[in-house]
Amino acid sequence: MCLCGGLAEDNARIILLAVVLAAYMLAGAALFQRLESDLEIRQATEFWRVYHAFRRHHLRGSPLAVQRLHELLYAYGNASATGIINKRRRWDFSGSFHFVGTIVSTIGYGSTAPQTTAGKAAVVLYGFFGCSGGILFFNLFLERIITLLAWILRSWHVRRLKRRLRRTTLTSRRISKSSSTQRSFLPDILDDDDHVDLDQWKPSVYWVMLYLSVTSCIVACCAAALYAPLEGWDYFDALYFAFVSFTTIGFGDFVSTQKPSYPYVHWYRFTNFVFLVVGCCCIYSLLNVTSIVIKQGLNYVIHKLQYGNQDVAAPYLPRRQSSVSTVYYSKRRPTRLVGRDSIRAEDNSDTPRRMSGEMISMKDFLSANKVSLAVMQKQLYDAAQKQRGGGSLAVTPNHQVLKPGAVGPLAIASEKFESKSTINR
């Protein structure tokens, strides 16, 4: 499917995203300039006021003393920036472990940095493998946390279907029997979890995004409650530090475990490490899930720009069916339930059911339409060509195309949620 001028949809998506990000960055630059510029000017004015007042009262008519003052200020600034004074040692074992943690997690506060040539060379080699391992760890965590959330949502979905099917069965028969006999009337699929595969029912990406957001907020708030009293920060500053650290932005204006001494210092350093690891993993997962929502928004904009109000892909989209209903009602009598997740036995309905923001798998898509991948691709291509006034090309069944979203953390999350329809490609 192509946009105007022969521009592929994947290329149109990345161009649209670049434009949106550029506009977002320009708006952010204007926002932060307005918020921070006045304070920067006031701080600079205050520094020069103190500096000139000191020179007038203590260094009048002494050029050598002024030179010494400048040297002192320069040395003091360097010593404070590198952590030589007023802070704990940077390069003892615990400080070095904190430094490599900022490398592997890609936070990079900047409060600790190697000064020797050998140290800088070691960072290049060590950071290459360390960052690779850290990214792999984040991706594996992303895969498992999303699988866990999908399993929880799937269990809740199956339990809800059980209750609905029980009510429907009892209402249709209207016969009072014992509980054991009633259970025998229930669908066999409800007692067989092997048919209810997690890959056949995909939860709403918005619910997973909500749960990850709540979890990330809880972790950040608990971390801020730890940092605020021990570091002497305001709670909001501690919360700000948690967000900057968990997102691996790492400005370095606030850094934990930098004071010369702490109560229960070893427990604090261990807890700080745990919070950083868990927080980075949760935020990393949340950011990747949020990227799917952003991608769906871009697809919607592209679809509207390409087709306007004409829903070209709608006739090819399957009606949403749960995995329980698909397996059970294909083998038993036709029964129709009325509700949000209604199960329909009529496959010839002309009105497709709305998916209500929920994702479907490719297996469900092909099973519902009873067509092969090649036929489906040809139908979609013919529809696009007909819309543009062109012809059609045959698509070979063995022809496979590597899509840009086929690898990486986005693919891990998309495998659990994203629809494979033409709109959400």
Side-chain angles (χ1 to χ4, degrees), residues 223-255:
L226 174 70
Y227 294 134
L230 293 178
E231 297 291 347
W233 300 336
D234 294 336
Y235 184 80
F236 184 80
D237 289 337
L239 196 62
Y240 159 81
F241 164 75
F243 173 79
V244 169
S245 299
F246 296 167
T247 55
T248 70
I249 297 174
F251 290 123
D253 50 348
F254 290 91
V255 183

PDB file of all heavy atoms in Angstrom, residues 223-255:
ATOM      1  N   ALA A 223      10.878   4.926  45.940  1.00  0.00           N
ATOM      2  CA  ALA A 223      12.280   5.340  45.859  1.00  0.00           C
ATOM      3  C   ALA A 223      12.459   6.775  46.343  1.00  0.00           C
ATOM      4  O   ALA A 223      13.419   7.091  47.062  1.00  0.00           O
ATOM      5  CB  ALA A 223      12.781   5.195  44.418  1.00  0.00           C
ATOM      6  N   ALA A 224      11.541   7.658  45.958  1.00  0.00           N
ATOM      7  CA  ALA A 224      11.628   9.048  46.407  1.00  0.00           C
ATOM      8  C   ALA A 224      11.489   9.156  47.919  1.00  0.00           C
ATOM      9  O   ALA A 224      12.148   9.985  48.564  1.00  0.00           O
ATOM     10  CB  ALA A 224      10.558   9.883  45.710  1.00  0.00           C
ATOM     11  N   ALA A 225      10.622   8.310  48.506  1.00  0.00           N
ATOM     12  CA  ALA A 225      10.477   8.313  49.958  1.00  0.00           C
ATOM     13  C   ALA A 225      11.760   7.868  50.648  1.00  0.00           C
ATOM     14  O   ALA A 225      12.028   8.267  51.794  1.00  0.00           O
ATOM     15  CB  ALA A 225       9.322   7.393  50.355  1.00  0.00           C
ATOM     16  N   LEU A 226      12.574   7.065  49.983  1.00  0.00           N
ATOM     17  CA  LEU A 226      13.872   6.670  50.533  1.00  0.00           C
ATOM     18  C   LEU A 226      14.919   7.763  50.341  1.00  0.00           C
ATOM     19  O   LEU A 226      15.684   8.079  51.265  1.00  0.00           O
ATOM     20  CB  LEU A 226      14.336   5.369  49.870  1.00  0.00           C
ATOM     21  CG  LEU A 226      15.754   4.902  50.230  1.00  0.00           C
ATOM     22  CD1 LEU A 226      15.799   4.425  51.680  1.00  0.00           C
ATOM     23  CD2 LEU A 226      16.208   3.786  49.287  1.00  0.00           C
ATOM     24  N   TYR A 227      14.970   8.347  49.149  1.00  0.00           N
ATOM     25  CA  TYR A 227      16.006   9.323  48.839  1.00  0.00           C
ATOM     26  C   TYR A 227      15.832  10.636  49.598  1.00  0.00           C
ATOM     27  O   TYR A 227      16.818  11.250  50.013  1.00  0.00           O
ATOM     28  CB  TYR A 227      16.027   9.619  47.335  1.00  0.00           C
ATOM     29  CG  TYR A 227      16.432   8.439  46.480  1.00  0.00           C
ATOM     30  CD1 TYR A 227      15.716   8.106  45.330  1.00  0.00           C
ATOM     31  CD2 TYR A 227      17.527   7.658  46.814  1.00  0.00           C
ATOM     32  CE1 TYR A 227      16.080   7.029  44.545  1.00  0.00           C
ATOM     33  CE2 TYR A 227      17.902   6.581  46.030  1.00  0.00           C
ATOM     34  CZ  TYR A 227      17.171   6.275  44.899  1.00  0.00           C
ATOM     35  OH  TYR A 227      17.538   5.201  44.125  1.00  0.00           O
ATOM     36  N   ALA A 228      14.592  11.080  49.758  1.00  0.00           N
ATOM     37  CA  ALA A 228      14.360  12.407  50.327  1.00  0.00           C
ATOM     38  C   ALA A 228      14.981  12.587  51.709  1.00  0.00           C
ATOM     39  O   ALA A 228      15.735  13.550  51.927  1.00  0.00           O
ATOM     40  CB  ALA A 228      12.852  12.700  50.354  1.00  0.00           C
ATOM     41  N   PRO A 229      14.745  11.710  52.668  1.00  0.00           N
ATOM     42  CA  PRO A 229      15.352  11.936  53.982  1.00  0.00           C
ATOM     43  C   PRO A 229      16.847  11.653  54.035  1.00  0.00           C
ATOM     44  O   PRO A 229      17.593  12.360  54.728  1.00  0.00           O
ATOM     45  CB  PRO A 229      14.567  10.975  54.897  1.00  0.00           C
ATOM     46  CG  PRO A 229      14.092   9.894  53.997  1.00  0.00           C
ATOM     47  CD  PRO A 229      13.836  10.554  52.677  1.00  0.00           C
ATOM     48  N   LEU A 230      17.315  10.642  53.317  1.00  0.00           N
ATOM     49  CA  LEU A 230      18.726  10.274  53.389  1.00  0.00           C
ATOM     50  C   LEU A 230      19.621  11.231  52.617  1.00  0.00           C
ATOM     51  O   LEU A 230      20.770  11.460  53.005  1.00  0.00           O
ATOM     52  CB  LEU A 230      18.917   8.846  52.871  1.00  0.00           C
ATOM     53  CG  LEU A 230      18.278   7.746  53.730  1.00  0.00           C
ATOM     54  CD1 LEU A 230      18.482   6.372  53.097  1.00  0.00           C
ATOM     55  CD2 LEU A 230      18.872   7.760  55.139  1.00  0.00           C
ATOM     56  N   GLU A 231      19.133  11.793  51.537  1.00  0.00           N
ATOM     57  CA  GLU A 231      19.941  12.724  50.746  1.00  0.00           C
ATOM     58  C   GLU A 231      19.678  14.175  51.119  1.00  0.00           C
ATOM     59  O   GLU A 231      20.400  15.066  50.642  1.00  0.00           O
ATOM     60  CB  GLU A 231      19.645  12.524  49.248  1.00  0.00           C
ATOM     61  CG  GLU A 231      20.007  11.153  48.712  1.00  0.00           C
ATOM     62  CD  GLU A 231      21.509  10.918  48.660  1.00  0.00           C
ATOM     63  OE1 GLU A 231      22.274  11.903  48.811  1.00  0.00           O
ATOM     64  OE2 GLU A 231      21.917   9.758  48.473  1.00  0.00           O
ATOM     65  N   GLY A 232      18.640  14.433  51.924  1.00  0.00           N
ATOM     66  CA  GLY A 232      18.319  15.808  52.286  1.00  0.00           C
ATOM     67  C   GLY A 232      17.647  16.582  51.169  1.00  0.00           C
ATOM     68  O   GLY A 232      17.750  17.809  51.107  1.00  0.00           O
ATOM     69  N   TRP A 233      16.932  15.878  50.281  1.00  0.00           N
ATOM     70  CA  TRP A 233      16.238  16.532  49.173  1.00  0.00           C
ATOM     71  C   TRP A 233      14.776  16.739  49.531  1.00  0.00           C
ATOM     72  O   TRP A 233      14.227  16.067  50.413  1.00  0.00           O
ATOM     73  CB  TRP A 233      16.310  15.669  47.901  1.00  0.00           C
ATOM     74  CG  TRP A 233      17.687  15.394  47.405  1.00  0.00           C
ATOM     75  CD1 TRP A 233      18.813  16.136  47.635  1.00  0.00           C
ATOM     76  CD2 TRP A 233      18.099  14.282  46.598  1.00  0.00           C
ATOM     77  NE1 TRP A 233      19.905  15.581  47.016  1.00  0.00           N
ATOM     78  CE2 TRP A 233      19.494  14.424  46.364  1.00  0.00           C
ATOM     79  CE3 TRP A 233      17.448  13.198  46.040  1.00  0.00           C
ATOM     80  CZ2 TRP A 233      20.232  13.527  45.609  1.00  0.00           C
ATOM     81  CZ3 TRP A 233      18.167  12.294  45.289  1.00  0.00           C
ATOM     82  CH2 TRP A 233      19.546  12.463  45.070  1.00  0.00           C
ATOM     83  N   ASP A 234      14.149  17.681  48.826  1.00  0.00           N
ATOM     84  CA  ASP A 234      12.692  17.750  48.870  1.00  0.00           C
ATOM     85  C   ASP A 234      12.116  16.506  48.196  1.00  0.00           C
ATOM     86  O   ASP A 234      12.752  15.891  47.331  1.00  0.00           O
ATOM     87  CB  ASP A 234      12.186  19.005  48.147  1.00  0.00           C
ATOM     88  CG  ASP A 234      12.605  20.278  48.864  1.00  0.00           C
ATOM     89  OD1 ASP A 234      12.848  20.204  50.086  1.00  0.00           O
ATOM     90  OD2 ASP A 234      12.707  21.325  48.186  1.00  0.00           O
ATOM     91  N   TYR A 235      10.879  16.160  48.583  1.00  0.00           N
ATOM     92  CA  TYR A 235      10.284  14.947  48.020  1.00  0.00           C
ATOM     93  C   TYR A 235      10.123  15.066  46.506  1.00  0.00           C
ATOM     94  O   TYR A 235      10.357  14.097  45.770  1.00  0.00           O
ATOM     95  CB  TYR A 235       8.932  14.660  48.667  1.00  0.00           C
ATOM     96  CG  TYR A 235       8.315  13.367  48.199  1.00  0.00           C
ATOM     97  CD1 TYR A 235       8.724  12.149  48.732  1.00  0.00           C
ATOM     98  CD2 TYR A 235       7.336  13.364  47.208  1.00  0.00           C
ATOM     99  CE1 TYR A 235       8.169  10.957  48.293  1.00  0.00           C
ATOM    100  CE2 TYR A 235       6.776  12.176  46.764  1.00  0.00           C
ATOM    101  CZ  TYR A 235       7.200  10.975  47.314  1.00  0.00           C
ATOM    102  OH  TYR A 235       6.659   9.795  46.861  1.00  0.00           O
ATOM    103  N   PHE A 236       9.754  16.244  46.030  1.00  0.00           N
ATOM    104  CA  PHE A 236       9.590  16.409  44.581  1.00  0.00           C
ATOM    105  C   PHE A 236      10.936  16.287  43.871  1.00  0.00           C
ATOM    106  O   PHE A 236      11.020  15.730  42.774  1.00  0.00           O
ATOM    107  CB  PHE A 236       8.950  17.756  44.263  1.00  0.00           C
ATOM    108  CG  PHE A 236       8.666  17.952  42.797  1.00  0.00           C
ATOM    109  CD1 PHE A 236       7.551  17.380  42.207  1.00  0.00           C
ATOM    110  CD2 PHE A 236       9.539  18.685  41.999  1.00  0.00           C
ATOM    111  CE1 PHE A 236       7.307  17.550  40.857  1.00  0.00           C
ATOM    112  CE2 PHE A 236       9.302  18.851  40.653  1.00  0.00           C
ATOM    113  CZ  PHE A 236       8.175  18.276  40.069  1.00  0.00           C
ATOM    114  N   ASP A 237      12.016  16.819  44.492  1.00  0.00           N
ATOM    115  CA  ASP A 237      13.348  16.655  43.898  1.00  0.00           C
ATOM    116  C   ASP A 237      13.738  15.185  43.849  1.00  0.00           C
ATOM    117  O   ASP A 237      14.344  14.725  42.867  1.00  0.00           O
ATOM    118  CB  ASP A 237      14.378  17.450  44.703  1.00  0.00           C
ATOM    119  CG  ASP A 237      14.227  18.950  44.531  1.00  0.00           C
ATOM    120  OD1 ASP A 237      13.650  19.376  43.510  1.00  0.00           O
ATOM    121  OD2 ASP A 237      14.662  19.701  45.424  1.00  0.00           O
ATOM    122  N   ALA A 238      13.402  14.452  44.906  1.00  0.00           N
ATOM    123  CA  ALA A 238      13.695  13.019  44.913  1.00  0.00           C
ATOM    124  C   ALA A 238      12.889  12.290  43.844  1.00  0.00           C
ATOM    125  O   ALA A 238      13.394  11.374  43.175  1.00  0.00           O
ATOM    126  CB  ALA A 238      13.401  12.435  46.293  1.00  0.00           C
ATOM    127  N   LEU A 239      11.628  12.698  43.658  1.00  0.00           N
ATOM    128  CA  LEU A 239      10.801  12.093  42.613  1.00  0.00           C
ATOM    129  C   LEU A 239      11.344  12.433  41.229  1.00  0.00           C
ATOM    130  O   LEU A 239      11.358  11.587  40.325  1.00  0.00           O
ATOM    131  CB  LEU A 239       9.363  12.581  42.764  1.00  0.00           C
ATOM    132  CG  LEU A 239       8.270  11.795  42.033  1.00  0.00           C
ATOM    133  CD1 LEU A 239       8.211  10.362  42.542  1.00  0.00           C
ATOM    134  CD2 LEU A 239       6.925  12.476  42.208  1.00  0.00           C
ATOM    135  N   TYR A 240      11.803  13.656  41.074  1.00  0.00           N
ATOM    136  CA  TYR A 240      12.432  14.073  39.824  1.00  0.00           C
ATOM    137  C   TYR A 240      13.691  13.253  39.550  1.00  0.00           C
ATOM    138  O   TYR A 240      13.927  12.802  38.418  1.00  0.00           O
ATOM    139  CB  TYR A 240      12.742  15.564  39.906  1.00  0.00           C
ATOM    140  CG  TYR A 240      13.798  16.063  38.952  1.00  0.00           C
ATOM    141  CD1 TYR A 240      13.482  16.345  37.625  1.00  0.00           C
ATOM    142  CD2 TYR A 240      15.102  16.272  39.376  1.00  0.00           C
ATOM    143  CE1 TYR A 240      14.445  16.802  36.750  1.00  0.00           C
ATOM    144  CE2 TYR A 240      16.075  16.745  38.511  1.00  0.00           C
ATOM    145  CZ  TYR A 240      15.748  17.004  37.205  1.00  0.00           C
ATOM    146  OH  TYR A 240      16.708  17.453  36.348  1.00  0.00           O
ATOM    147  N   PHE A 241      14.506  13.042  40.583  1.00  0.00           N
ATOM    148  CA  PHE A 241      15.711  12.220  40.422  1.00  0.00           C
ATOM    149  C   PHE A 241      15.346  10.795  40.006  1.00  0.00           C
ATOM    150  O   PHE A 241      16.011  10.193  39.140  1.00  0.00           O
ATOM    151  CB  PHE A 241      16.507  12.192  41.726  1.00  0.00           C
ATOM    152  CG  PHE A 241      17.520  11.101  41.789  1.00  0.00           C
ATOM    153  CD1 PHE A 241      18.711  11.187  41.078  1.00  0.00           C
ATOM    154  CD2 PHE A 241      17.283   9.952  42.542  1.00  0.00           C
ATOM    155  CE1 PHE A 241      19.643  10.165  41.126  1.00  0.00           C
ATOM    156  CE2 PHE A 241      18.215   8.931  42.595  1.00  0.00           C
ATOM    157  CZ  PHE A 241      19.398   9.038  41.887  1.00  0.00           C
ATOM    158  N   ALA A 242      14.284  10.237  40.624  1.00  0.00           N
ATOM    159  CA  ALA A 242      13.875   8.880  40.278  1.00  0.00           C
ATOM    160  C   ALA A 242      13.467   8.788  38.805  1.00  0.00           C
ATOM    161  O   ALA A 242      13.855   7.853  38.100  1.00  0.00           O
ATOM    162  CB  ALA A 242      12.723   8.433  41.180  1.00  0.00           C
ATOM    163  N   PHE A 243      12.701   9.769  38.324  1.00  0.00           N
ATOM    164  CA  PHE A 243      12.283   9.737  36.915  1.00  0.00           C
ATOM    165  C   PHE A 243      13.484   9.869  35.983  1.00  0.00           C
ATOM    166  O   PHE A 243      13.611   9.117  35.004  1.00  0.00           O
ATOM    167  CB  PHE A 243      11.289  10.859  36.636  1.00  0.00           C
ATOM    168  CG  PHE A 243      10.937  11.006  35.182  1.00  0.00           C
ATOM    169  CD1 PHE A 243      10.033  10.147  34.585  1.00  0.00           C
ATOM    170  CD2 PHE A 243      11.543  11.986  34.405  1.00  0.00           C
ATOM    171  CE1 PHE A 243       9.729  10.268  33.232  1.00  0.00           C
ATOM    172  CE2 PHE A 243      11.239  12.116  33.060  1.00  0.00           C
ATOM    173  CZ  PHE A 243      10.330  11.245  32.473  1.00  0.00           C
ATOM    174  N   VAL A 244      14.367  10.813  36.272  1.00  0.00           N
ATOM    175  CA  VAL A 244      15.533  11.032  35.410  1.00  0.00           C
ATOM    176  C   VAL A 244      16.427   9.796  35.388  1.00  0.00           C
ATOM    177  O   VAL A 244      16.991   9.441  34.347  1.00  0.00           O
ATOM    178  CB  VAL A 244      16.311  12.276  35.887  1.00  0.00           C
ATOM    179  CG1 VAL A 244      17.659  12.379  35.183  1.00  0.00           C
ATOM    180  CG2 VAL A 244      15.500  13.543  35.632  1.00  0.00           C
ATOM    181  N   SER A 245      16.531   9.106  36.529  1.00  0.00           N
ATOM    182  CA  SER A 245      17.375   7.912  36.597  1.00  0.00           C
ATOM    183  C   SER A 245      16.706   6.731  35.922  1.00  0.00           C
ATOM    184  O   SER A 245      17.341   6.005  35.135  1.00  0.00           O
ATOM    185  CB  SER A 245      17.686   7.569  38.054  1.00  0.00           C
ATOM    186  OG  SER A 245      18.391   8.613  38.683  1.00  0.00           O
ATOM    187  N   PHE A 246      15.425   6.503  36.197  1.00  0.00           N
ATOM    188  CA  PHE A 246      14.730   5.332  35.647  1.00  0.00           C
ATOM    189  C   PHE A 246      14.610   5.405  34.132  1.00  0.00           C
ATOM    190  O   PHE A 246      14.594   4.373  33.457  1.00  0.00           O
ATOM    191  CB  PHE A 246      13.345   5.188  36.278  1.00  0.00           C
ATOM    192  CG  PHE A 246      13.374   4.906  37.756  1.00  0.00           C
ATOM    193  CD1 PHE A 246      12.221   5.008  38.521  1.00  0.00           C
ATOM    194  CD2 PHE A 246      14.555   4.545  38.388  1.00  0.00           C
ATOM    195  CE1 PHE A 246      12.247   4.754  39.884  1.00  0.00           C
ATOM    196  CE2 PHE A 246      14.588   4.292  39.755  1.00  0.00           C
ATOM    197  CZ  PHE A 246      13.434   4.398  40.499  1.00  0.00           C
ATOM    198  N   THR A 247      14.490   6.594  33.594  1.00  0.00           N
ATOM    199  CA  THR A 247      14.431   6.749  32.135  1.00  0.00           C
ATOM    200  C   THR A 247      15.809   6.776  31.506  1.00  0.00           C
ATOM    201  O   THR A 247      15.918   6.931  30.282  1.00  0.00           O
ATOM    202  CB  THR A 247      13.682   8.036  31.766  1.00  0.00           C
ATOM    203  OG1 THR A 247      14.291   9.145  32.428  1.00  0.00           O
ATOM    204  CG2 THR A 247      12.216   7.953  32.147  1.00  0.00           C
ATOM    205  N   THR A 248      16.851   6.640  32.310  1.00  0.00           N
ATOM    206  CA  THR A 248      18.267   6.658  31.885  1.00  0.00           C
ATOM    207  C   THR A 248      18.651   7.971  31.222  1.00  0.00           C
ATOM    208  O   THR A 248      19.571   7.994  30.396  1.00  0.00           O
ATOM    209  CB  THR A 248      18.592   5.476  30.945  1.00  0.00           C
ATOM    210  OG1 THR A 248      17.961   5.672  29.686  1.00  0.00           O
ATOM    211  CG2 THR A 248      18.158   4.154  31.535  1.00  0.00           C
ATOM    212  N   ILE A 249      17.952   9.058  31.566  1.00  0.00           N
ATOM    213  CA  ILE A 249      18.354  10.377  31.070  1.00  0.00           C
ATOM    214  C   ILE A 249      19.625  10.820  31.776  1.00  0.00           C
ATOM    215  O   ILE A 249      20.598  11.221  31.144  1.00  0.00           O
ATOM    216  CB  ILE A 249      17.224  11.400  31.266  1.00  0.00           C
ATOM    217  CG1 ILE A 249      16.000  11.000  30.439  1.00  0.00           C
ATOM    218  CG2 ILE A 249      17.679  12.803  30.890  1.00  0.00           C
ATOM    219  CD1 ILE A 249      14.780  11.858  30.671  1.00  0.00           C
ATOM    220  N   GLY A 250      19.604  10.796  33.103  1.00  0.00           N
ATOM    221  CA  GLY A 250      20.806  11.014  33.893  1.00  0.00           C
ATOM    222  C   GLY A 250      21.464  12.366  33.723  1.00  0.00           C
ATOM    223  O   GLY A 250      22.599  12.448  33.256  1.00  0.00           O
ATOM    224  N   PHE A 251      20.785  13.449  34.109  1.00  0.00           N
ATOM    225  CA  PHE A 251      21.392  14.775  33.990  1.00  0.00           C
ATOM    226  C   PHE A 251      22.620  14.917  34.884  1.00  0.00           C
ATOM    227  O   PHE A 251      23.591  15.554  34.507  1.00  0.00           O
ATOM    228  CB  PHE A 251      20.366  15.856  34.358  1.00  0.00           C
ATOM    229  CG  PHE A 251      19.275  16.015  33.357  1.00  0.00           C
ATOM    230  CD1 PHE A 251      17.951  15.876  33.726  1.00  0.00           C
ATOM    231  CD2 PHE A 251      19.556  16.277  32.028  1.00  0.00           C
ATOM    232  CE1 PHE A 251      16.930  16.014  32.802  1.00  0.00           C
ATOM    233  CE2 PHE A 251      18.557  16.415  31.090  1.00  0.00           C
ATOM    234  CZ  PHE A 251      17.228  16.282  31.482  1.00  0.00           C
ATOM    235  N   GLY A 252      22.564  14.360  36.083  1.00  0.00           N
ATOM    236  CA  GLY A 252      23.677  14.478  37.003  1.00  0.00           C
ATOM    237  C   GLY A 252      23.549  15.615  37.983  1.00  0.00           C
ATOM    238  O   GLY A 252      24.457  15.819  38.795  1.00  0.00           O
ATOM    239  N   ASP A 253      22.451  16.402  37.918  1.00  0.00           N
ATOM    240  CA  ASP A 253      22.268  17.471  38.897  1.00  0.00           C
ATOM    241  C   ASP A 253      21.923  16.911  40.263  1.00  0.00           C
ATOM    242  O   ASP A 253      22.233  17.506  41.296  1.00  0.00           O
ATOM    243  CB  ASP A 253      21.180  18.444  38.433  1.00  0.00           C
ATOM    244  CG  ASP A 253      19.899  17.733  38.008  1.00  0.00           C
ATOM    245  OD1 ASP A 253      19.936  16.493  37.856  1.00  0.00           O
ATOM    246  OD2 ASP A 253      18.871  18.413  37.820  1.00  0.00           O
ATOM    247  N   PHE A 254      21.259  15.749  40.309  1.00  0.00           N
ATOM    248  CA  PHE A 254      21.032  15.007  41.545  1.00  0.00           C
ATOM    249  C   PHE A 254      21.585  13.606  41.343  1.00  0.00           C
ATOM    250  O   PHE A 254      21.260  12.941  40.350  1.00  0.00           O
ATOM    251  CB  PHE A 254      19.537  14.935  41.887  1.00  0.00           C
ATOM    252  CG  PHE A 254      18.933  16.233  42.301  1.00  0.00           C
ATOM    253  CD1 PHE A 254      18.355  17.079  41.362  1.00  0.00           C
ATOM    254  CD2 PHE A 254      18.941  16.635  43.628  1.00  0.00           C
ATOM    255  CE1 PHE A 254      17.795  18.288  41.733  1.00  0.00           C
ATOM    256  CE2 PHE A 254      18.389  17.839  44.014  1.00  0.00           C
ATOM    257  CZ  PHE A 254      17.811  18.668  43.071  1.00  0.00           C
ATOM    258  N   VAL A 255      22.411  13.150  42.280  1.00  0.00           N
ATOM    259  CA  VAL A 255      22.992  11.810  42.232  1.00  0.00           C
ATOM    260  C   VAL A 255      22.933  11.230  43.630  1.00  0.00           C
ATOM    261  O   VAL A 255      23.303  11.906  44.601  1.00  0.00           O
ATOM    262  CB  VAL A 255      24.437  11.821  41.710  1.00  0.00           C
ATOM    263  CG1 VAL A 255      24.976  10.394  41.602  1.00  0.00           C
ATOM    264  CG2 VAL A 255      24.531  12.519  40.363  1.00  0.00           C
TER     265      VAL A 255
END
